[in-house]
Amino acid sequence: DSGVTQTPKHLITATGQRVTLRCSPRSGDLSVYWYQQSLDQGLQFLIQYYNGEERAKGNILERFSAQQFPDLHSELNLSSLELGDSALYFCASSVYQGRGETQYFGPGTRLLVL
Amino acid sequence: ILNVEQSPQSLHVQEGDSTNFTCSFPSSNFYALHWYRWETAKSPEALFVMTLNGDEKKKGRISATLNTKEGYSYLYIKGSQPEDSATYLCAFSYSGAGSYQLTFGKGTKLSVIP
């Protein structure tokens, strides 16, 4: 158990809908990263927050947004969902955002868009 | 696009065999190289983080080496056990990204046959 929690574990929804994925980092970790694992793809970085502020964006679609709250939990909002958004979404956390820091991964949310 | 290549894609070994996998990454602007162990339906588990050329890390029967000049890392498992069956992911971070987000390979899937 990494100490990172994600809810829900599974989510089934329809195209065009909007969902929110939630991540609680390990106690004391300030940095949260979101990654997407699609079929036949490696984990792809989406976005990073550090102590409430957005720090970096990766391959995140404009339909997706995220935020990190004062209690350091983070939410990833996915809107106007398409079939291709079906994937496993992970969040990871680290204490700070240092070069050699380990990122600890949550169990993921599996999203299925029908 | 910066790619991380892992080989082989999959591997079947007999219990007790030793094995190794390769991770290749761009050698320029290197920050860190991470290895994770990922069992189905679980979180990717951090194994090692290495930042310096020549780094060697060990955890039980698993060890890893790093060559940043030529852009590769090896992961070794000595005396494989069935519980070592998992997908092993490597990921690297680099200075051009603006953050320490990880770029992942697609993994090496190890199956240890009892």
Side-chain angles (χ1 to χ4, degrees):
Chain A
D1 183 2
S2 67
V4 179
T5 60
Q6 289 187 249
T7 56
K9 284 190 177 179
H10 303 277
L11 198 48
I12 301 174
T13 189
T15 54
Q17 295 298 303
R18 173 189 168 96
V19 296
T20 296
L21 313 183
R22 183 188 169 103
C23 168
S24 293
R26 296 185 322 153
S27 177
D29 284 2
L30 299 176
S31 194
V32 170
Y33 301 80
W34 285 96
Y35 294 88
Q36 178 193 54
Q37 166 97 48
S38 301
L39 198 62
D40 292 334
Q41 296 291 319
L43 282 158
Q44 301 280 322
F45 168 71
L46 295 178
I47 196 164
Q48 181 210 354
Y49 279 82
Y50 177 75
N51 203 19
E53 293 187 6
E54 181 187 303
R55 281 303 170 96
K57 271 187 172 179
N59 300 320
I60 188 165
L61 300 171
E62 284 192 15
R63 300 182 285 108
F64 295 1
S65 65
Q67 53 184 329
Q68 186 180 28
F69 294 86
D71 67 352
L72 301 177
H73 90 271
S74 178
E75 292 181 356
L76 180 67
N77 301 297
L78 316 177
S79 61
S80 303
L81 284 167
E82 300 175 1
L83 296 177
D85 298 327
S86 296
L88 190 51
Y89 291 84
F90 284 105
C91 83
S93 73
S94 63
V95 179
Y96 299 111
Q97 48 172 3
R99 175 180 175 177
E101 276 204 273
T102 297
Q103 293 183 25
Y104 295 91
F105 279 74
T109 293
R110 186 171 292 280
L111 173 66
L112 181 58
V113 182
L114 299 175
Chain B
I1 296 176
L2 296 174
N3 283 327
V4 178
E5 301 289 337
Q6 290 190 248
S7 63
Q9 274 190 310
S10 64
L11 192 56
H12 291 79
V13 301
Q14 290 292 135
E15 183 176 351
D17 286 353
S18 294
T19 187
N20 64 86
F21 329 130
T22 304
C23 172
S24 300
F25 54 89
S27 56
S28 58
N29 304 317
F30 172 86
Y31 267 164
L33 192 285
H34 299 241
W35 281 100
Y36 286 86
R37 179 175 176 277
W38 187 16
E39 290 182 72
T40 304
K42 293 188 177 180
S43 313
E45 174 197 352
L47 290 174
F48 307 113
V49 181
M50 295 178 287
T51 58
L52 299 175
N53 184 46
D55 263 353
E56 292 187 23
K57 294 282 179 86
K58 188 174 180 183
K59 188 176 184 178
R61 294 178 292 98
I62 305 178
S63 60
T65 61
L66 178 66
N67 183 323
T68 61
K69 295 187 177 182
E70 295 180 45
Y72 65 83
S73 175
Y74 294 135
L75 187 79
Y76 301 91
I77 302 179
K78 186 176 177 182
S80 303
Q81 299 296 308
E83 57 266 30
D84 296 328
S85 297
T87 296
Y88 291 83
L89 300 172
C90 81
F92 88 112
S93 58
Y94 62 99
S95 62
S99 170
Y100 296 99
Q101 76 261 28
L102 300 178
T103 299
F104 280 85
K106 292 187 179 181
T108 292
K109 186 172 182 179
L110 174 67
S111 300
V112 182
I113 304 162

